[in-house]
Every structure is written in C-alpha cells, then in structure tokens.
Amino acid sequence: MSVILVIVAHSDDETIGLGGTIAKHVDSGDVVYVMSMTDGVSARGKSSIERDLRIKSAAKAANALGFKWIKQCEFPDNGMDKVPLLDVINEIEKVKHKICPELVYIHHQSDLNVDHSLSARAALTAFRPLPSEEHVEIRTFEVPSSTNWSHELDNIFSPNLFVDISQFWEKKAKALACYKDEIPPHPHTRSIESIKSLASFRGTSVGLNLAEGFMVLRKVERNSDVCSSK
C-alpha cells in the first residue's frame, strides 16, 4: 500500500487530469488524498450557494473514485498570483507532514491557468529534495483547456509515463458527471468527448486503449522509506 497525494488548484482538476489513475491506485489498495487550493468558482462572481454546490460535487467525485479530500484551501480563485508563495507552500507542507506521501501528483508548471502553475511551483518547493525528505516520486499531469493551451514551448507537457485506465474509464466518467457544470459541451477541449479522445490518443500512442499521461519529474530510490510521522 502506498500513500499518494494529489495537489490541485481547483476541485475537478483531479478528476479531469487523472481520475482514471486515481481509481486505479485505489483499486490496487493505495490510499489517495487530494488537496485543492481555491474554491474554483469565486472568480466568476458565483454565490456562496454555488460554492457550496461545488463542494458537494467534489465530495461526490471523491466517492466515485475512492479518494479522500484532506484539505480544501480558500486562496483566491484565478488569483493565486496575489498570494505570497510562502503561504501556499506552508499549506502543502502541513499536509506533507501529516500523511508523508510517497508519490505526489502536481499540475504541469507551464499550464496557462495561473492557479495551476503557481500550485505546481509551490508543490515543488514544498517537496524539494532535502536530505531529510522522504517522498519518492513526483509526477505532473495535464488538464485540457490549461495544459494544452500553454504557449511555453520550451516547457511543453510531454508525457513519459502512460497509465492504462481502460478498466477505469467508467469510474472517471461517473466522477466527471459530478462536475457537470464544469464540463462544457463538445467540441470544447474539456468536454466529455474530448477528455475521452485525449485518453484514447495517449493510449494508442503506446499501444493501449485508454491512458492518462504523466511526466515523471523526479524519482528517488532510498535505502529507507519509513516516515517518522506515520
């Protein structure tokens, strides 16, 4: 059993980006925790009622995929560039010390969405490879309408790990349905059809039916992976 942490800017990123992989981890007996940075809706002038609905949607998605929300921060939606980076790092480090994850999933650093890119930067700082650090691996994931719209050509998302989610697509689709207000109609890049097309593209590029792609940023093999905080 492994302890896994997924760090996302907004609830729904976890399902869109790696819902199938989360379900696969859970099916294998891993414990998956997810933390989010913003409410995901306040930048659009949404009411507190709509924020509450988003929280309920996130809880339903967690139930569909089998993960646990460990923390839902309240940094400004689409405005994390106005927050001291250290504040974000501190929130991530609190979770890190609490659960001591072995595998960490984060946004890709070049994502167009400012919340995504800053969440990734904060996570990389929180999990910097100090001698006392005990995490094993960091992977970045892609989110349609953010990762693929980036224009940072010198830091483009280019997956080097592909996870077969063919048996877990239905669970991912069920979780996506929990966020129906965040899933635009086709041909938007974040529509159900487009998300499945991306999974098909990632899969068939390596001989699989459906897959989610990741970039392994760092993997460390240590003599001991026993965390003193566990």
Side-chain angles (χ1 to χ4, degrees):
M1 181 195 80
S2 295
V3 176
I4 295 163
L5 176 61
V6 181
I7 301 171
V8 297
H10 321 97
S11 57
D12 81 353
D13 291 332
E14 81 293 332
T15 298
I16 296 171
L18 64 155
T21 299
I22 289 173
K24 188 169 187 173
H25 276 301
V26 173
D27 186 69
S28 298
D30 297 331
V31 179
V32 181
Y33 295 99
V34 181
M35 72 176 297
S36 61
M37 297 299 168
T38 82
D39 62 26
V41 297
S42 56
R44 308 172 206 165
K46 299 290 186 178
S47 68
S48 59
I49 293 176
E50 289 166 307
R51 289 196 293 273
D52 289 343
L53 287 174
R54 182 67 171 267
I55 292 172
K56 290 179 181 179
S57 296
K60 290 178 182 178
N63 184 62
L65 296 177
F67 69 84
K68 303 175 183 179
W69 285 105
I70 189 165
K71 191 173 187 65
Q72 292 173 289
C73 302
E74 297 183 352
F75 293 116
D77 177 42
N78 211 29
M80 287 184 64
D81 54 338
K82 300 178 180 65
V83 177
L85 186 64
L86 184 59
D87 290 353
V88 185
I89 294 168
N90 286 339
E91 291 300 325
I92 295 173
E93 287 185 331
K94 289 176 187 177
V95 171
K96 178 183 78 169
H97 294 314
K98 183 176 182 179
I99 66 172
C100 194
E102 295 141 77
L103 172 59
V104 184
Y105 288 95
I106 67 174
H107 286 288
H108 190 59
Q109 309 97 298
S110 70
D111 275 18
L112 183 64
N113 186 288
V114 66
D115 295 343
H116 290 197
S117 58
L118 286 175
S119 295
R121 183 179 176 188
L124 286 171
T125 304
F127 286 94
R128 56 199 181 280
L130 298 171
S132 60
E133 191 57 62
E134 301 196 46
H135 74 279
V136 173
E137 186 173 351
I138 297 178
R139 302 173 181 175
T140 67
F141 59 90
E142 60 185 328
V143 176
S145 80
S146 180
T147 316
N148 57 319
W149 285 353
S150 172
H151 295 286
E152 293 188 24
L153 299 182
D154 60 339
N155 190 25
I156 194 169
F157 181 82
S158 180
N160 53 18
L161 172 65
F162 300 82
V163 176
D164 188 349
I165 64 164
S166 304
Q167 297 179 16
F168 299 96
W169 170 255
E170 292 306 320
K171 285 191 175 183
K172 176 166 180 164
K174 182 178 179 181
L176 287 169
C178 298
Y179 292 114
K180 62 181 187 299
D181 292 339
E182 304 302 318
I183 306 299
H186 192 67
H188 194 285
T189 187
R190 208 170 65 243
S191 67
I192 288 282
E193 296 90 343
S194 296
I195 293 171
K196 189 171 186 179
S197 292
L198 176 60
S200 177
F201 172 70
R202 294 303 185 201
T204 56
S205 67
V206 291
L208 301 171
N209 287 324
L210 298 171
E212 289 169 342
F214 303 92
M215 288 183 67
V216 179
L217 293 189
R218 181 168 66 240
K219 186 170 184 178
V220 182
E221 294 188 6
R222 295 184 173 86
N223 291 328
S224 173
D225 61 359
V226 178
C227 180
S228 58
S229 67
K230 283 186 178 180

